[in-house]
Amino acid sequence: MAELPELLILARQMTDTIVGKTIRGFELRQPKCLNAPAQEYRQLEGKKILGVEAKGKWLLMALEDDRLLLPNVGMGGDILYYQLPEQPPAEKYQCRIDLAGKAGLTIRFWWFGNLHLLGRSDLPLHPAGRLGPSPFDPAFTPEILEALTGKTRRNIKSLITDQRVISGIGNAYIHDILFLAGVHPLTPASRLTTDRVSKLHSAMREGLTRVLDKRGLAYERDLFGKSGGFEAQDFLVGYRQDQPCPVCGTPIQKIKAAGSASYVCPHCQAL
Amino acid sequence: MAELPELLILARQMTDTIVGKTIRGFELRQPKCLNAPAQEYRQLEGKKILGVEAKGKWLLMALEDDRLLLPNVGMGGDILYYQLPEQPPAEKYQCRIDLAGKAGLTIRFWWFGNLHLLGRSDLPLHPAGRLGPSPFDPAFTPEILEALTGKTRRNIKSLITDQRVISGIGNAYIHDILFLAGVHPLTPASRLTTDRVSKLHSAMREGLTRVLDKRGLAYERDLFGKSGGFEAQDFLVGYRQDQPCPVCGTPIQKIKAAGSASYVCPHCQAL
DNA sequence: CGTCCTAACAGCGA
DNA sequence: CTCGCTGTTAGGAC
C-alpha cells in the first residue's frame, strides 16, 4: 500500500490524534503478524504514546520505556482510528490497539502486514532502522543521489525502490518519478549524467508531492477512513499501458523491471 | 583447455610412463600458481608416484605419504614428458617436475593454471574433491541425470558445465553434445522430458567419445607433444557460426549462454 | 502497491 | 577453452 505520501499523512493525523494517549490493551487476532510473543505487547498496557513518525514506508510509534510499535500494512490495508461512541471501530482487522478514552486503532491488511514491537536499541537491526534518506530530507541533495548512483551496476529502478538506499518510494510512484525525469527504469544507475541525476532528484520530490497534494491514492484511506484524491487518471504513465504519453502521445508500455511491472513512455524515457 | 577426453588420454599416458618413478625435484617459476609454499613441494622430493587419475578436468597424481599433486592447465596449455637425452624438456613452462632417471614433466599454461598440492584429507575441501559424476561412470545413469535436471531453474548448459554437477564437460564440447541431443543450451533443465534427458545422457558419451576416438582436439597436445586428431571441421556445430547445420542446413548461430559463447542450430535445437 | 530468503546469473580478475 | 568471488537479479513464500 501506502508509500511515503500516505504515510506522511497518516503520521501527521496520528500525531494530532493519539499522541499523549495511553494504551489500554490489544486485540491481536493474527499472531503470525507479530515479531514478539503477544505477552510482550500486553506489557505495553498503561504506557503512553510519545510520538508518531513516518520513516519510508514504516510508521514508528514511540512509547514510554523506549519501546517502538511499528504498524505496517505491507501491500495494502488501512490503519483506522475509532472513538466511541461517534466513530465505532471497523469490523475487519488483524490487530486492534485500544487507547484510554474509548479510542483506538484498527489495523487491517489485505495480504501481508505486521505489527512489530521493538526496543529502541533493536532499531538498528530492524529494516525500519536501516533506511536510506527520505526524498524530502533537506540533507538529501542531488550530490548525495549522484554518489548513490555512481558506484553500482544496478538499474535505476532497482536502486531507487531499494529502501536501504532511498526510503519511501515503491512500485506505485516510481513510474511517474522516472517519467518526470525522462529516465528509463532499466537505465544502469551509473550511466546517469550529473544533469540527469539532478532531474531525477527533483522528480522524486515532484512525483511524491503531486500525490501528497491530493491527500494520497484514491484507493487508500487515511486515519479517519477518508479516501485520497489521487485518481487513476492522475498518474502520468503509471498503470496506463497502451494509453498515450501525456507529453508525446506515444503509447505507454508495460514492461518488467527490477522484478515488477513498470510503465514507461518509450519515447520520453529512451533507454 | 583440455576437457575429459584429453585428460583421460593424459592420465593413461602418465600412468604408463611415470607411475612408480620417484620425484627428484621441482622448478617452480611462478609461485602464484601454487596453493602452498614452495617448501612444501620440496618435501615431496624422494617420494614415489603411486598412480595418476583423471577426474573431470583435474588430474590427480597420488604420491607416497597420502599426498596429491594436481597439475591443471586451466584454459589451455600442456603437460609434457621429457626423458633425457632423447626427449629434452620443453623450454617454456611454469612448473617442472623432475623424476628419477633424468625424466620429468613440464607444465605450461597459456592463461591460468596451477599445480596444487594436497593431503588426501584436504581433498573434500578442494574443487577436485567436489566433482559430480563422470559421464562415463557406469553408475551415471539417465535416471541420475534426470534427478539432476529435475529440481532446478537453471538452463541445461549451465547445469551440465557445472563441474559440481557433472564433471569433465566444459565450453568446448558442450555445443556438440547439446546438438546431438537436440537440446537448446538455454532450455530450463527442469523442462526436459524423460526421453530428452535420456537422449542427452547418450549424447554426452557420444560427443566425448567422438573426440576420444580422434585422440583429442587438434590444438591440444598429449604427454608426448603429439596433437590430437579432432579438427575444427569435426565439430558438428561448435565454433561453426554461419555454417550450415550438418543435419538440416540451417545456419548455425553463435549465441551467449551461461556466460560464454554457444553454437546452436536454431532448427534442430529449438528452444 | 511489500519484504525476505535463496538460487541463478553476470562481470571481473587472476 | 578455466575457476572463484561478488554484486545484482529473479522467483517463490509469507
Side-chain angles (χ1 to χ4, degrees), chain B residues 200-254:
Chain B
L200 183 53
H201 179 268
S202 22
M204 288 182 196
R205 293 181 176 178
E206 182 180 348
L208 296 174
T209 300
R210 289 183 76 238
V211 183
L212 206 43
D213 287 347
K214 299 221 173 187
R215 308 188 55 78
L217 271 182
Y219 61 74
E220 301 284 353
R221 291 167 176 273
D222 70 5
L223 192 62
F224 309 110
K226 192 180 170 201
S227 297
F230 196 91
E231 308 276 350
Q233 68 264 24
D234 292 319
F235 281 105
L236 298 170
V237 297
Y239 311 99
R240 298 174 74 86
Q241 66 271 32
D242 305 326
Q243 297 182 243
C245 166
V247 168
C248 75
T250 306
I252 290 160
Q253 289 180 351
K254 177 178 182 178

Side-chain angles (χ1 to χ4, degrees), chain A residues 145-146 149-150 154-157 159-160 178 181-184 187-198 200:
Chain A
L145 181 58
E146 191 169 18
T149 56
R154 307 173 70 168
N155 66 58
I156 191 63
K157 178 184 177 184
L159 188 77
I160 294 184
L178 291 174
V183 173
H184 192 283
T187 308
S190 59
R191 236 194 48 195
L192 295 173
T193 61
T194 300
D195 191 53
R196 192 59 74 173
V197 167
S198 183
L200 182 54

Side-chain angles (χ1 to χ4, degrees), chain A residues 61-116:
Chain A
M61 298 172 58
L63 309 182
E64 287 180 315
D65 290 352
D66 272 347
R67 309 291 267 176
L68 293 170
L69 205 48
L70 285 69
N72 183 304
V73 298
M75 277 185 84
D78 42 46
I79 300 174
L80 295 170
Y81 181 71
Y82 75 86
Q83 168 69 67
L84 293 175
E86 317 92 58
Q87 308 167 48
E91 287 184 3
K92 289 186 175 178
Y93 54 84
Q94 277 82 19
C95 310
R96 199 185 68 225
I97 306 175
D98 297 319
L99 304 172
K102 297 186 175 174
L105 303 175
T106 57
I107 302 168
R108 179 180 62 130
F109 39 84
W110 301 324
W111 293 349
F112 315 112
N114 41 59
L115 178 64
H116 282 181

Side-chain angles (χ1 to χ4, degrees), chain B residues 1 57 75 127 163 171:
Chain B
M1 85 144 196
K57 302 180 190 172
M75 280 187 81
Q163 302 303 301
N171 207 44

Side-chain angles (χ1 to χ4, degrees), chain B residues 89-186:
Chain B
E91 288 184 1
K92 288 187 175 176
Y93 53 83
Q94 276 82 20
C95 311
R96 198 185 70 225
I97 306 175
D98 297 319
L99 304 172
K102 296 187 176 173
L105 303 175
T106 57
I107 302 168
R108 179 181 60 129
F109 40 81
W110 301 324
W111 293 351
F112 314 112
N114 41 59
L115 178 65
H116 282 181
L117 173 58
L118 269 67
R120 189 160 282 280
S121 60
D122 303 326
L123 191 55
L125 294 171
H126 189 275
R130 299 167 161 262
L131 296 169
S134 160
F136 290 122
D137 187 335
F140 178 64
T141 60
E143 290 71 32
I144 291 196
L145 181 58
E146 191 169 18
L148 294 173
T149 57
K151 292 171 187 167
T152 181
R153 267 181 347 235
R154 307 172 70 167
N155 66 57
I156 191 63
K157 177 185 177 184
S158 145
L159 188 78
I160 294 183
T161 56
D162 185 336
Q163 302 303 301
R164 297 164 302 184
V165 179
I166 294 168
S167 59
I169 300 172
N171 207 44
Y173 301 133
I174 184 66
H175 317 301
D176 282 7
I177 288 172
L178 291 174
F179 173 77
L180 284 167
V183 173
H184 192 282
L186 293 177

